[in-house]
Amino acid sequence: MASNGSRPLIGISTYLERTRFGVWDVEAAVLHRDYLDSVVRAGGNPVLLPPVGAWDADAIGFLDGLVLAGGADVDPARYGRERDPRTGPPRPDRDTAELDLARAAFALDLPVLGVCRGMQVLNVALGGTLHQHVEGHNPAPAVFEHTGIAVAPGSRLARVVGPATTVHCHHHQAVDVVGDGLVVVARAPDGTAEAVELAGARFVLGVQSHPEADSEDDRLFAALVDAARTRAGTAWADTTGRNAR
């Protein structure tokens, strides 16, 4: 874990994609830089987590927080549904790794921010299901829809962004049946769930939008890093207290 007072270590899930850089054209673990910059501006240090290997509580015990990044559709087989023709091709590497990361984070009470696909992963990890296609939130490839959302009073999200805000959306799937313990805390005008929180957790927040795409607003990443710093400080104090006995 990060030492007391240092920059918390924030793990971020990544993709495996065919990538060209320098003289190479190879499969690589990649991630939009916006995620990295958002974590750094918020006061954390990013740690990339590729969808290979085994991710359990022991493997991520060194982290102070976790971001589940956006990306491809979750395979509907993961939540017991038949595939809609509009659902993208399965990415079993990411599904396995990120569902494991989410469950490991729950076991550790690790602060988590789920972004777009990441919110859907949180829901599926807790037994929920997804709408495999919704209209109006994905205007064109690589183009964000600017969506106004209403935020539930008293929620953690409301304490961060207030009762309403405008977000950057780029998704065609959404939460259907809500996972165990999750609470929908924001909705778009069409009723689409735009944020969920895990009741009783230190900090588990999923947003259907892309906060990393707005370099002028780091409030969600700052909230994650603050929760991670508090957790790290508490663990550090507990450790030093035990050593002093």
Side-chain angles (χ1 to χ4, degrees):
M1 74 188 68
S3 62
N4 190 35
S6 70
R7 297 174 71 92
L9 299 178
I10 307 298
I12 313 175
S13 63
T14 66
Y15 334 135
L16 290 180
E17 300 289 349
R18 194 78 185 181
T19 308
R20 295 183 64 182
F21 53 95
V23 299
W24 306 106
D25 182 353
V26 296
E27 190 170 69
V30 299
L31 181 72
H32 293 268
R33 180 173 173 170
D34 288 344
Y35 288 99
L36 310 180
D37 291 339
S38 296
V39 168
V40 170
R41 286 195 303 265
N45 277 341
V47 178
L48 300 187
L49 306 176
V52 295
W55 295 108
D56 57 18
D58 288 338
I60 66 169
F62 71 100
L63 294 175
D64 301 310
L66 174 66
V67 176
L68 295 171
D73 296 338
V74 178
D75 187 345
R78 301 282 180 160
Y79 49 92
R81 295 291 188 270
E82 295 295 323
R83 176 176 299 277
D84 185 296
R86 294 166 293 187
T87 295
R91 295 300 301 268
D93 53 351
R94 287 199 71 186
D95 288 351
T96 297
E98 291 173 7
L99 288 168
D100 286 348
L101 283 167
R103 291 165 180 147
F106 300 153
L108 294 170
D109 198 19
L110 196 69
V112 181
L113 176 62
V115 173
C116 196
R117 168 191 161 90
M119 169 171 153
Q120 297 166 9
V121 168
L122 291 175
N123 193 56
V124 172
L126 290 165
T129 67
L130 303 177
H131 292 293
Q132 292 187 54
H133 187 75
V134 295
E135 298 287 351
H137 297 262
N138 186 357
V143 175
F144 289 105
E145 180 72 25
H146 294 92
T147 303
I149 63 171
V151 182
S155 64
R156 180 183 293 275
L157 182 62
R159 295 197 293 273
V160 176
V161 303
T165 191
T166 298
V167 297
H168 292 60
C169 283
H170 189 277
H171 65 96
H172 83 111
Q173 299 198 328
V175 165
D176 182 11
V177 177
V178 180
D180 295 341
L182 288 176
V183 179
V184 176
V185 295
R187 292 189 183 274
D190 65 1
T192 298
E194 286 290 334
V196 293
E197 297 176 3
L198 181 58
R202 179 187 301 273
F203 183 103
V204 175
L205 171 64
V207 294
Q208 194 55 76
S209 57
H210 283 269
E212 82 286 355
D214 187 354
S215 62
E216 301 300 317
D217 186 354
D218 292 318
R219 288 177 293 175
L220 292 181
F221 285 92
L224 171 71
V225 170
D226 285 347
R229 184 178 291 112
T230 298
R231 179 182 181 276
T234 300
W236 180 84
D238 289 346
T239 299
T240 55
R242 286 196 299 270
N243 291 342
R245 293 191 185 102

